[in-house]
């Protein structure tokens, strides 16, 4: 039979009308009596002995556990009222006090009790100071409530004890105050010794107050850690409140490692025991710390917590708020740089990472965040924002046809749509960033090029063309830039390598060069004007803008309205003389070959003019090699790749343009002759002797030209004609020899096999057939020997050398 939990008596007293039993004092009564008599040490010793007996099994367990919890809580609150927080810690833990009761005394921890907090606009600084914003119902024993302090704040409890214990010994009048001895700028001192408390301003009590506050903080931290250590006996709401409060403590103390360990997901494998508590609330950050940290402006702790869980989106949102000034946290340095670091496509070496560097984002998540914040980032830092934005898009490639190809095409269409949305956002944020991003869409993504662009893409391409043209016109409108470009054109035209003479010089009779052809006296053409400009012009935005515009104009399709509009704008502004190369490119797109050649000749860019004429206009005014070299020389590697892919290079088999090539060469020759440039004309004839026929050239050559101006051309032309004739003879001789060789090798076979000789069906002009109206065939080997069914031929005598 189990023993009763009630105390048993060994002595009964019989009265006249009743029976009395002498019972020992209960544990409850003894401890309460000791507490009321301020014998706290004896009460602690009694509780320890009872717990020891209970652990050994000598005491009946019935109801004793609840009694021990009750007594420990009473004793703990007594110690709190006496600011003996270290002793109170043990009894709070043994009494399994509801942590919410203890948190209500700490202003900085009260936000953990509530799911939602009013905004700072509604409550001013109350939320930051921890003023109570509601009520939370918690069950507490009535007896315990009697021992709870009357004060509602832990700071008030400490202040009350300091005043009670030290105020008689620290009179305000005995304490020197700087306010009474030293005048201030604000006016005469208003210090009243009756209104100031000595315990408030005395250095000793200030130090004691700070030390007690630290002990109280350690007390609540230990109690919260114990609650998390026995999470199985508490409800989920209590665990979440405890985790939040402990996180707030770590956040206020800037203890980032402990904060991260608190909400770190539990490891799958066995781990060494640690004294640091770990939240049992799950692997996702609870909502209470998030709202509490935000309300109290503890954003540094909030960021570190979200970084542990890899929630990059929330991290970016907080950093954006800090950059914009919506939130303030001095502990976070350069939030904009942190955003760029988190969203960077290449992560640093893991061994170099420190705690809280940033969340590790998957590529898909990173791309999504870049698209979301790209416009905002570009508005803050154009260079880094665009670099980040362009790094999140791979290059487009042609996809195969079929079902797989159609699926990839849909993906490409979605990417294009996202890019256009980003472009629209950039236009509302930063005009320069929008123009730079449009440049990347055209150059890096091939927008408006490929033959299958949508009307919208065509409009964007034209917009980009106008952006480049406007930038060049703006640059040339600058007096310094305009003067520099004029000087470059004049220097190129007057250079000895391109110097021209209106009429051939009259050589002296004794001159040794009088017997040389004119083209030998003139230097060979050198590099085109674009190469000269790119090589000799100092690096500057104007130089890069002009080279970009030249390459872009060269990529335009012929006969479009855009070409005519750009040409009219340059001419209308009076910049056609300075922008001679650009005008030549535009003339070639109309197309107007003669005007193109004339413009190039005015620029004295004979190398480009001859290259353009010799190709029949297929290579364009700016050739692929020249354009790529100019772009790479300015550091425009993306432009060089784009121009190389879109340029058409004339192949060796482009014979359809042969006649047009000759016509353009004649046209260029006429341009040279029209200006009286004998040297260039003679050199052109000499270099193009293969294509220009003598019979076509001689009628247009001025009669005033000396014979030596054409000697080289005539010599090469005649040599070429003779060479072709000799080649024909050699080929015919080789063919004849090969035919004889084949005939010799097949003669024996053909002779042995013979041949079938067939007669025509109709033997006369009237259409009459043979004797029987049927065509005949004869075997060469059978008929002469009288084969079967064949009549023998008539035999006649033939005289050979006098013999029959």
């Amino acid at each position: 039979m189990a023993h009763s939990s009630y105390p048993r008596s060994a002595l009964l007293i019989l009265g006249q009308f009743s029976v009395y039993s002498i019972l020992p004092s209960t544990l409850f009564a003894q401890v309460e009596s000791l507490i009321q008599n301020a014998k706290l040490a004896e009460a602690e010793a009694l509780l320890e002995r009872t717990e020891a007996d209970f652990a050994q099994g000598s005491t009946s367990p019935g109801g004793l556990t609840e009694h021990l919890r009750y007594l420990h809580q009473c004793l703990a609150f007594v110690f709190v009222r006496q600011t003996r927080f270290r002793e109170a810690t043990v009894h709070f833990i043994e009494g399994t006090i509801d942590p919410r009761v203890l948190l209500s005394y700490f202003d900085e921890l009260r936000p953990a009790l509530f799911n939602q907090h009013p905004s700072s606009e509604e409550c001013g600084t109350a939320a930051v100071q921890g003023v109570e914003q509601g009520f939370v119902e918690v069950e507490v024993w009535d007896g315990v409530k009697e021992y709870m302090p009357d004060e509602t704040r832990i700071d008030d409890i400490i202040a009350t004890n300091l005043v009670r214990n030290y105020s008689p010994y620290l009179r305000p009048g005995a304490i020197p105050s700087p306010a009474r001895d030293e005048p201030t700028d604000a006016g005469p001192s208003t210090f009243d010794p009756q209104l100031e408390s000595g315990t408030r301003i005395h250095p000793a009590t200030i130090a004691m107050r700070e030390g007690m506050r630290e002990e109280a903080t350690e007390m609540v931290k230990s109690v919260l850690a114990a609650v998390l250590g026995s999470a199985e006996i508490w409800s989920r709401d209590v665990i979440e409140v405890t985790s939040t409060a402990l996180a707030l403590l770590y956040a206020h103390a800037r203890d980032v490692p402990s904060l991260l360990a608190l909400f770190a997901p539990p490891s799958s494998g066995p781990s060494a025991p640690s004294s640091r508590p770990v939240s049992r609330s799950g692997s996702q950050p609870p909502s209470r710390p998030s709202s509490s940290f935000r309300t109290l402006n503890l954003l540094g702790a909030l960021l570190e917590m979200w970084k542990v869980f890899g929630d990059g989106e929330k991290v970016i949102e907080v950093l954006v708020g800090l950059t914009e000034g919506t939130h303030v946290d001095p502990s976070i340095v350069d939030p904009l740089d942190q955003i760029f670091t988190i969203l960077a496509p290449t992560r640093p070496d893991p061994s170099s990472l420190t705690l809280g560097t940033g969340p590790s984002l998957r590529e898909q998540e990173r791309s999504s965040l870049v698209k979301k914040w790209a416009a905002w980032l570009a508005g803050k830092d154009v260079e880094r924002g665009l670099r980040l934005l362009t790094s999140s898009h791979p290059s487009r490639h042609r996809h195969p046809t079929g079902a797989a190809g159609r699926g990839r095409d849909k993906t490409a269409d979605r990417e294009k749509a996202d890019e256009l949305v980003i472009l629209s956002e950039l236009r509302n944020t930063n005009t320069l960033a929008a123009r730079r991003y449009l440049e990347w869409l055209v150059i890096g993504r091939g927008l408006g090029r490929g033959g299958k662009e949508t009307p919208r893409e065509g409009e964007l391409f034209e917009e980009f063309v106008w952006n480049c043209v406007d930038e060049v016109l703006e640059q040339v409108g600058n007096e310094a830039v305009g003067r520099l470009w004029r000087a470059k054109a004049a220097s190129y035209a007057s250079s000895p390598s391109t110097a021209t003479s209106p009429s051939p010089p009259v050589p002296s009779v004794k001159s040794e060069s009088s017997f040389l052809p004119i083209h030998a006296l003139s230097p060979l053409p050198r590099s085109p004007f674009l190469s000269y400009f790119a090589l000799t012009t100092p690096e500057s935005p104007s130089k890069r803008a002009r080279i970009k515009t030249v390459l872009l104009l060269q990529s335009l399709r012929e006969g479009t309205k855009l070409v005519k509009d750009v040409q009219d704008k340059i001419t209308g502004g009076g910049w056609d003389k300075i922008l001679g190369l650009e005008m030549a490119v535009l003339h070639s797109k109309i197309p107007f070959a003669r005007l193109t050649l004339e413009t190039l000749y005015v620029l004295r860019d004979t190398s480009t003019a001859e290259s353009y004429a010799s190709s029949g206009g297929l290579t364009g005014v700016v050739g692929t090699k020249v354009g790529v070299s100019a772009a790479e020389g300015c550091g425009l590697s993306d432009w060089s790749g784009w121009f190389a892919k879109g340029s058409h290079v004339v192949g060796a088999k482009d014979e359809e343009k042969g006649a047009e090539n000759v016509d353009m060469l004649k046209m260029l020759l006429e341009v040279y002759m029209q200006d009286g440039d004998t040297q260039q004309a003679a050199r052109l004839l000499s270099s193009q002797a293969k294509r220009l026929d003598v019979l076509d050239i001689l009628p247009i050559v001025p009669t005033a030209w000396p014979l030596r101006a054409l000697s080289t051309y005539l010599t090469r032309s005649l040599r070429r004609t003779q060479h072709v004739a000799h080649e024909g003879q050699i080929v015919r001789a080789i063919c004849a020899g090969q035919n004889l060789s084949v005939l010799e090798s097949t003669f024996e076979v053909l002779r042995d096999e013979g041949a079938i000789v067939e007669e025509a069906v109709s033997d006369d002009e009237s259409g009459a057939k043979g004797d029987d109206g049927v065509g005949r065939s004869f075997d060469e080997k059978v008929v002469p020997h009288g084969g079967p069914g064949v009549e023998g031929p008539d035999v006649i005598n033939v005289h050979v050398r006098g013999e029959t």
Side-chain angles (χ1 to χ4, degrees):
M1 180 177 178
H3 296 283
S4 173
S5 59
Y6 294 101
R8 295 186 298 172
S9 175
L11 179 63
L12 297 177
I13 300 176
L14 180 61
Q16 184 177 1
F17 301 103
S18 61
V19 178
Y20 298 93
S21 175
I22 304 298
L23 297 175
S25 299
T26 62
L27 175 65
F28 190 89
Q30 294 179 37
V31 173
E32 279 199 336
S33 176
L34 292 173
I35 292 175
Q36 292 174 0
N37 294 319
K39 298 180 179 180
L40 303 182
E42 297 179 9
E44 285 185 297
L46 180 58
L47 288 177
E48 290 177 1
R49 289 196 302 271
T50 304
E51 289 175 345
D53 296 340
F54 178 75
Q56 295 175 1
S58 58
T59 305
S60 175
L64 184 59
T65 302
E66 294 296 326
H67 289 171
L68 290 175
R69 288 182 54 200
Y70 170 83
L71 295 174
H72 276 298
Q73 291 183 17
C74 293
L75 193 57
F77 278 112
V78 172
F79 282 123
V80 168
R81 295 176 65 176
Q82 298 180 4
T83 63
R84 299 168 62 181
F85 300 115
R86 293 182 181 177
E87 292 88 340
T89 302
V90 178
H91 296 286
F92 275 130
I93 295 175
E94 295 293 335
T96 60
I97 185 71
D98 191 319
R100 294 174 293 181
V101 177
L102 200 57
L103 294 178
S104 63
Y105 288 96
F106 293 83
D107 291 341
E108 68 273 17
L109 302 182
R110 285 179 183 175
L113 300 173
F114 308 96
N115 284 321
Q116 298 179 352
H117 306 282
S119 61
S120 58
E121 290 81 0
E122 295 175 355
C123 62
T125 59
V128 178
Q129 296 174 354
V131 177
E132 187 175 355
Q133 301 154 8
F135 298 92
V136 177
E137 294 184 358
V138 180
E139 293 183 355
V140 180
W141 282 301
D142 291 335
V144 174
K145 188 176 180 180
E146 295 177 358
Y147 293 99
M148 294 175 64
D150 297 331
E151 296 81 3
T152 59
R153 299 170 63 249
I154 195 69
D155 294 327
D156 294 339
I157 298 174
I158 296 174
T160 301
N161 277 270
L162 288 176
V163 171
R164 181 185 304 116
N165 297 327
Y166 299 98
S167 181
Y169 310 102
L170 298 174
R171 299 279 182 190
I175 301 173
S177 175
R180 293 181 297 171
D181 299 336
E182 299 178 4
T184 61
D185 297 336
S189 175
T190 58
F191 179 79
D192 187 355
Q194 300 299 328
L195 300 177
E196 291 290 334
S197 172
T199 58
R200 180 176 300 178
I201 61 177
H202 195 279
T205 54
I206 291 176
M208 285 189 290
R209 186 185 303 111
E210 293 176 355
M212 292 179 182
R213 192 63 168 80
E214 292 180 2
E215 291 183 0
T217 302
E218 291 297 326
M219 175 192 68
V220 70
K221 186 184 298 184
S222 301
V223 173
L224 295 177
V227 171
L228 292 180
S230 57
E232 61 277 357
I233 67 174
W234 297 100
S235 65
R236 182 175 181 180
D237 186 65
V238 172
I239 293 299
E240 187 172 356
V241 169
T242 304
S243 301
T244 303
L246 196 56
L248 289 174
L249 283 174
Y250 292 144
H252 283 291
R254 305 298 176 186
D255 189 356
V256 176
S258 300
L259 177 66
L260 300 183
L262 176 64
F263 294 106
S267 57
S268 56
S271 58
S274 174
S275 59
R276 183 180 296 134
V278 178
S279 172
R280 308 299 202 276
S281 58
S283 61
Q284 295 297 326
S287 58
R288 289 178 187 262
S290 302
S291 58
S292 301
F293 290 171
R294 191 184 298 274
T295 303
L296 300 176
N297 282 337
L298 299 175
L299 300 178
L302 182 62
L303 283 178
E304 299 302 334
M305 183 183 69
W306 278 333
K307 287 177 181 179
V308 170
F309 289 92
D311 197 338
E313 183 176 2
K314 292 183 178 179
V315 171
I316 298 299
E317 288 178 357
V318 173
L319 292 175
V320 168
L322 290 169
T323 305
E324 291 288 350
T326 307
H327 309 303
V328 179
D329 192 334
S331 64
I332 301 177
V333 181
D334 198 354
L336 184 61
D337 184 70
Q338 292 191 35
I339 296 176
F340 283 111
T341 302
I342 293 172
L343 298 180
T346 56
R347 303 296 297 169
D349 183 10
S351 60
S352 63
L353 291 177
T354 58
L355 189 62
T357 300
S360 179
L361 303 179
R362 298 185 301 272
E363 181 60 27
Q364 183 178 2
E365 183 181 3
R366 189 189 72 84
S367 300
S368 176
L369 291 175
V370 168
K371 291 177 182 178
K372 180 178 180 180
W373 296 105
W376 181 85
L377 290 172
K380 296 298 181 181
D381 191 331
V382 176
E383 293 294 335
R384 298 176 68 184
L386 290 178
R387 191 183 310 118
L388 181 64
L389 182 59
T390 56
S391 66
S392 63
H393 297 275
S395 302
R396 294 197 186 112
H397 302 282
R398 290 187 176 181
H399 302 306
T401 58
R406 289 192 296 270
R408 294 178 181 177
D409 289 340
K410 292 181 180 179
T411 303
D413 292 340
R414 287 194 298 269
E415 291 179 357
K416 288 183 179 180
D418 293 340
E419 292 166 355
L420 296 182
V421 171
I422 294 175
L423 177 61
S424 178
E425 294 176 353
L426 287 174
R427 285 174 173 168
N428 298 328
T429 305
N430 189 298
T431 304
L432 176 60
R435 296 180 66 173
R436 294 281 301 278
Y437 185 67
L438 179 59
E439 176 183 344
W440 178 78
L441 289 179
V442 175
I443 304 303
R445 303 288 278 173
L447 181 69
R449 199 180 214 181
K452 295 183 179 180
E453 62 273 6
T454 62
R456 176 58 178 164
E457 293 176 358
E459 293 175 359
L460 291 176
F461 182 80
E462 291 187 5
E463 179 185 348
F464 177 62
V465 173
W466 282 115
N467 288 343
C468 293
V469 171
D470 292 340
E471 184 178 1
V472 168
L473 295 180
E474 181 182 355
Q475 294 288 350
V476 77
N478 188 330
E479 183 179 356
V481 176
R483 185 167 55 251
L484 174 64
W485 289 2
R486 287 189 185 93
K488 289 297 175 184
S491 175
Y492 182 84
S494 61
S495 176
S497 59
T498 57
T500 59
S501 56
S503 59
V506 180
S508 173
V509 178
K510 297 181 180 181
S511 177
E512 296 179 359
S513 61
S514 61
F515 301 99
L516 296 176
I518 290 181
H519 84 278
L521 300 177
S522 60
L524 294 176
R526 36 141 217 205
S527 60
F529 175 76
L530 182 61
S531 300
Y532 172 83
F533 180 83
L535 182 63
T536 60
T537 305
E539 289 296 328
S540 61
S542 60
K543 173 185 175 181
R544 290 189 291 271
R546 186 175 188 183
I547 292 177
K548 289 179 181 180
T549 303
V550 170
L551 299 182
L552 188 60
L553 293 178
Q554 181 61 55
S555 68
L556 298 180
R557 296 189 181 94
E558 294 183 358
T560 58
K561 183 178 181 298
L562 178 62
V563 174
K564 182 63 177 174
D565 293 341
V566 174
Q567 188 180 47
D568 293 341
K569 186 168 185 177
I570 296 177
T571 306
W575 308 117
D576 52 328
K577 300 300 182 182
I578 302 179
L579 305 178
L581 183 60
E582 288 82 350
M583 292 300 297
V585 174
L586 292 173
H587 290 324
S588 68
K589 297 297 180 180
I590 291 180
F592 196 170
R594 186 175 186 88
L595 188 56
T596 302
L597 296 175
E598 290 178 352
T599 305
L600 289 172
Y601 181 71
V602 171
L603 192 62
R604 293 300 187 265
D605 191 356
T606 55
S607 175
T608 301
E610 293 178 13
S611 175
Y612 177 77
S614 62
S615 66
L618 289 181
T619 58
V621 173
V622 180
T624 303
K625 182 181 291 187
V626 175
V628 170
S629 176
E632 290 180 347
C634 298
L636 304 174
S637 57
D638 49 348
W639 278 81
S640 64
W642 172 80
F643 187 73
K645 292 179 182 178
S647 299
H648 173 69
V649 181
V650 180
K653 297 183 180 180
D654 290 330
E655 300 177 356
E656 298 179 358
K657 291 285 184 177
E660 187 174 351
N661 297 355
V662 175
D663 293 340
M664 283 195 180
L665 289 172
K666 292 180 182 179
M667 198 179 299
L668 180 59
L669 182 62
E670 292 174 357
V671 171
Y672 288 162
M673 292 179 178
Q674 181 180 356
D675 194 59
D677 194 346
T678 307
Q679 291 183 357
Q680 294 293 347
R683 189 184 53 77
L684 176 63
L685 288 173
S686 177
S687 62
Q688 300 296 331
K690 176 182 177 181
R691 300 183 181 183
L692 299 177
D693 193 351
V694 176
L695 298 179
D696 298 331
I697 297 302
L698 290 179
I700 63 175
V701 174
T703 57
W705 276 23
L707 180 60
R708 62 189 180 88
L710 298 176
S711 60
T712 303
Y713 164 69
L714 294 175
T715 301
R716 291 182 177 179
S717 180
L718 294 176
R719 284 179 179 175
R720 181 63 185 173
T721 303
Q722 187 179 15
H723 177 73
V724 172
H726 289 170
E727 281 185 348
Q729 294 176 2
I730 293 173
V731 170
R732 284 195 297 271
I734 292 175
C735 291
Q738 291 178 347
N739 291 339
L740 290 176
S741 177
V742 172
L743 180 61
E744 181 180 3
S745 62
T746 59
F747 177 75
E748 297 292 338
V749 178
L750 293 176
R751 186 184 62 182
D752 295 340
E753 294 294 334
I756 302 298
V757 180
E758 295 184 356
E759 291 184 352
V761 176
S762 178
D763 295 334
D764 51 18
E765 296 180 358
S766 61
K769 301 179 181 179
D771 296 338
D772 53 0
V774 180
R776 295 179 175 84
S777 64
F778 303 94
D779 191 338
E780 182 185 20
K781 301 298 181 180
V782 177
V783 173
H785 301 284
V790 179
E791 297 180 358
D794 295 336
V795 180
I796 61 175
N797 296 328
V798 179
H799 297 276
V800 178
R801 296 181 181 180
E803 298 179 359
T804 302

